[in-house]
Structure formats: structure tokens, C-alpha cells
Amino acid sequence: LKRIVKEKGLNGIIEFKGLIPNQKLPEYYRESDISINLCPVGSPDKAVLESMACGLPVLVCNKTFLPDFGPYYEQLLFKEKDSNDLAQKIFNLAGNNQLEEIGLFLREQVVKFHNLDNLLQKIVACF
């Protein structure tokens, strides 16, 4: 990826941060425009929920998040292993004047449906 970024002259746009301590993650999310998660379909990845909690629009191929995306699901879901679809979704979001609106909606979804009380209820229900 680093080689491709360099070859395409994207060094000033794309930055590889490496390991980021947990306590600094919210700062990095808030400084970003879009989060992209490449985890395949299956169980939810906490990085998606972290992005959403920080009010950051997130692109995923994991359909697990469809209920959380509400009316924005078509804008935020890309086809798994389809780089062209992902590129198009990035392009569409980057030129979208709804980024803040989408981010606020996603944050509300995390607060409503992925809070500690809900988690505890689910754990108790298992027992």
C-alpha cells in the first residue's frame, strides 16, 4: 500500500500512522473525514463502532452494520473485495455535503443501540 501511495503521488493525502495507543484513538478519529473498515462480513468490528461513536462516517463491506446505517446504508456499504466500488463510495462521500449529518446520525446509533446497558441485557439474556 505504501508503494502504491508513493507511486500515485498521494503522500500528502494518505498517511500511515502505525500503532496508535487506545487513549489517542478518539483524537485521530475526530481529525479524519472518513473511516474505512475492510473486515469481511461477520461479527461487528469494534473499530467501526469507535468511528461511529466519534461521529465519523465509516465505509464497510460488513452487512452486520446495515441496521445501524439507517437511510445512509447505500452510501456506507461497499461490495466486499471490490476496490472499484470502494473507490466510488470514497469519491461520493468526499464530495458529499452530508458528512457531518451522517456522522451525527451514526453517533446517535451507537449511543442508542451499543451502550453498556444494552450489552449487559444481552449478556444476561444469554444466561
Side-chain angles (χ1 to χ4, degrees):
L1 288 175
K2 290 178 180 179
R3 179 184 54 78
I4 293 170
V5 167
K6 186 175 181 177
E7 287 174 2
K8 300 289 183 183
L10 299 172
N11 289 333
I13 298 170
I14 297 174
E15 183 178 352
F16 294 93
K17 294 287 191 180
L19 181 64
I20 300 171
N22 289 344
Q23 64 270 23
K24 293 197 176 229
L25 282 175
E27 173 187 333
Y28 282 93
Y29 285 129
R30 284 191 296 270
E31 290 176 358
S32 301
D33 296 316
I34 299 170
S35 177
I36 300 168
N37 187 281
L38 302 176
C39 286
V41 175
S43 63
D45 182 354
K46 71 175 183 144
V48 174
L49 296 175
E50 290 170 346
S51 296
M52 292 170 59
C54 290
L56 186 61
V58 58
L59 290 168
V60 303
C61 59
N62 189 339
K63 294 180 182 179
T64 302
F65 294 99
L66 282 181
D68 293 312
F69 289 171
Y72 303 107
Y73 78 93
E74 288 182 4
Q75 293 171 273
L76 301 175
L77 183 71
F78 64 91
K79 296 174 190 154
E80 189 174 353
K81 298 180 183 177
D82 187 335
S83 59
N84 290 326
D85 189 44
L86 174 57
Q88 187 62 52
K89 298 287 179 163
I90 294 169
F91 182 78
N92 291 344
L93 270 182
N96 190 330
N97 61 0
Q98 293 182 299
L99 284 179
E100 186 175 344
E101 176 184 318
I102 293 170
L104 290 172
F105 176 83
L106 294 177
R107 173 159 171 68
E108 288 174 12
Q109 294 295 96
V110 169
V111 170
K112 280 185 205 173
F113 302 111
H114 299 282
N115 61 50
L116 188 56
D117 289 338
N118 286 346
L119 176 61
L120 291 174
Q121 289 176 13
K122 290 175 185 176
I123 290 171
V124 169
C126 288
F127 293 102

